[in-house]
């Protein structure tokens, strides 16, 4: 059974924090007001150790705020049981995204939605994880393992370069390419990723459906496990995309999933050539 309550941490005093947790002395003085859903019973199996009781959501929120929403610790907590996983999906990953990319999150939610397509955990992963690729997967014989990235810039302006003229009223945030140099015959590769705002209402989605674009038969989005459309097969990759990335025009490919996550690969031009491409754009 759960109850809905508004939890204002500014109203908590020192004795309250001491009663809640031995870590009260580490808590920041000011934490913004937020709505939490309190659950008093673990939603895992009857044999789960959590049925013996665990910290409240309020205390866990305070602890992770002090830890600056550390994504590795959030992922670790999610593995403990379904109750913690549910808390991470609803609260912790959301706060991580808001802290890591505040302006981008405000824009993605400005349509009035209180969540994002594909859930907060998927978006959190997209912000910090380069998916790479495997042989026989989305990008043929290229094999580069996925990895975490320390910091990535996502740009709404850059996103316009990946949209056909008739779709440029859509909002797409795209990352700078994650460079993987000297990949043998493949040359210098760049992986990029992105996300659409309110993908269900975009012109890109409508065009894909009208074109009868086929979903990939086996591969799924590495961030939310949804099916994928190939923008290359749909003939919806504009020339401006290669100019923006600094890549060869005929060596770029990207996919968009049903939740609006984008992932792609390109072969990067040598530095001097890519500078000339930028000037042409």
């Amino acid at each position: 059974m759960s109850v809905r309550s508004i939890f204002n941490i500014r109203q908590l005093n020192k004795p309250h924090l001491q009663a809640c947790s031995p870590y009260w002395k580490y808590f920041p003085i000011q934490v913004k007001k937020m709505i939490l859903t309190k659950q008093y019973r673990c939603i895992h199996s009857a044999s789960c150790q959590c049925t013996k009781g665990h910290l409240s959501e309020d205390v866990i929120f305070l602890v992770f705020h002090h830890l600056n929403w550390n994504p590795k610790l959030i992922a670790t907590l999610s593995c403990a049981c379904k109750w913690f996983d549910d808390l991470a999906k609803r609260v912790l990953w959301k706060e991580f995204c808001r802290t890591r990319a505040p302006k981008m999150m405000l824009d993605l939610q400005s349509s009035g939605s209180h969540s994002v397509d594909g859930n907060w955990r998927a978006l959190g992963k997209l912000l910090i994880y380069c998916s790479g690729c495997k042989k026989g997967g989305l990008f043929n014989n290229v094999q580069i393992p996925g990895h975490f990235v320390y910091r990535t810039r996502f740009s709404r302006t850059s996103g316009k370069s990946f949209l056909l003229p008739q779709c440029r009223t859509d909002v797409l945030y795209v990352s700078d390419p994650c460079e993987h140099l000297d990949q043998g015959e493949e040359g210098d590769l760049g992986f990029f990723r992105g996300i659409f705002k309110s993908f269900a209402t975009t012109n890109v989605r409508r065009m894909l459906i009208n074109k009868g674009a086929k979903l990939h038969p086996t591969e799924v989005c590495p961030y939310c496990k949804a099916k994928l459309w190939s923008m290359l097969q749909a003939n919806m990759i504009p020339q401006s995309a290669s100019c923006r990335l600094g890549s060869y025009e005929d060596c770029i490919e990207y996919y968009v999933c049903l939740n609006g996550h984008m992932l792609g690969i390109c072969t990067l031009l040598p530095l001097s050539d890519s500078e000339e491409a930028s000037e042409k754009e």
Side-chain angles (χ1 to χ4, degrees), residues 230-247:
S230 170
M231 300 295 280
L232 181 62
Q233 291 182 4
N235 195 28
M236 291 178 62
I237 299 180
Q239 183 179 358
S240 55
S242 59
C243 293
R244 174 64 67 178
L245 292 166
S247 68

Side-chain angles (χ1 to χ4, degrees), residues 184-212:
E185 295 181 357
E186 302 295 336
D188 297 339
L189 298 179
F191 290 92
F192 53 95
R193 56 201 192 278
I195 183 171
F196 282 87
K197 176 181 178 180
S198 302
F199 182 64
T201 62
T202 60
N203 293 313
V204 166
R205 181 178 181 274
R206 183 163 55 250
M207 280 191 67
L208 286 166
I209 293 173
N210 291 341
K211 282 174 170 281

Side-chain angles (χ1 to χ4, degrees), residues 74-218:
I74 295 175
T76 301
L77 182 75
S78 299
C79 296
C81 81
K82 289 184 178 180
W83 189 89
F84 285 115
D85 185 48
D86 176 67
L87 171 63
K89 288 178 181 177
R90 289 184 293 102
V91 180
L92 304 183
W93 283 118
K94 180 178 180 179
E95 296 303 317
F96 166 78
C97 293
R98 286 178 166 179
T99 302
R100 180 61 66 96
K103 292 183 179 179
M104 178 176 163
M105 294 307 114
L106 282 174
D107 187 23
L108 290 177
Q109 291 190 281
S110 62
S111 60
S113 172
H114 296 290
S115 63
V116 294
D117 295 338
N119 75 50
W120 289 104
R121 181 171 63 181
L123 181 54
K125 183 177 180 180
L126 184 140
L127 290 178
I128 60 174
Y129 188 75
C130 171
S131 63
C133 58
K134 61 182 180 180
K135 283 189 176 181
L138 289 175
F139 306 116
N140 298 323
N141 294 323
V142 178
Q143 182 166 351
I144 296 175
H147 62 91
F148 290 99
V149 290
Y150 174 69
R151 191 178 299 277
T152 304
R153 184 180 70 93
F154 285 80
S155 171
R156 174 172 172 165
T157 302
S158 295
K160 296 293 183 185
S161 300
F162 293 80
L163 302 172
L164 294 173
Q166 57 267 46
C167 297
R168 289 188 176 170
T169 55
D170 296 344
V171 176
L172 170 64
Y173 284 85
V174 177
S175 71
D176 292 332
C178 179
E179 297 183 2
H180 295 262
L181 307 180
D182 301 322
Q183 298 298 315
E185 295 181 357
E186 302 295 336
D188 297 339
L189 298 179
F191 290 92
F192 53 95
R193 56 201 192 278
I195 183 171
F196 282 87
K197 176 181 178 180
S198 302
F199 182 64
T201 62
T202 60
N203 293 313
V204 166
R205 181 178 181 274
R206 183 163 55 250
M207 280 191 67
L208 286 166
I209 293 173
N210 291 341
K211 282 174 170 281
K214 303 295 184 182
L215 295 168
H216 197 285
T218 57

Side-chain angles (χ1 to χ4, degrees), residues 161-162 238-249 252 269 273-281:
S161 300
F162 293 80
Q239 183 179 358
S240 55
S242 59
C243 293
R244 174 64 67 178
L245 292 166
S247 68
Y248 293 99
E249 185 178 345
I252 176 173
L269 290 164
D273 293 342
S274 64
E275 289 175 345
E276 292 176 5
S278 298
E279 290 176 1
K280 289 180 181 179
E281 185 184 12

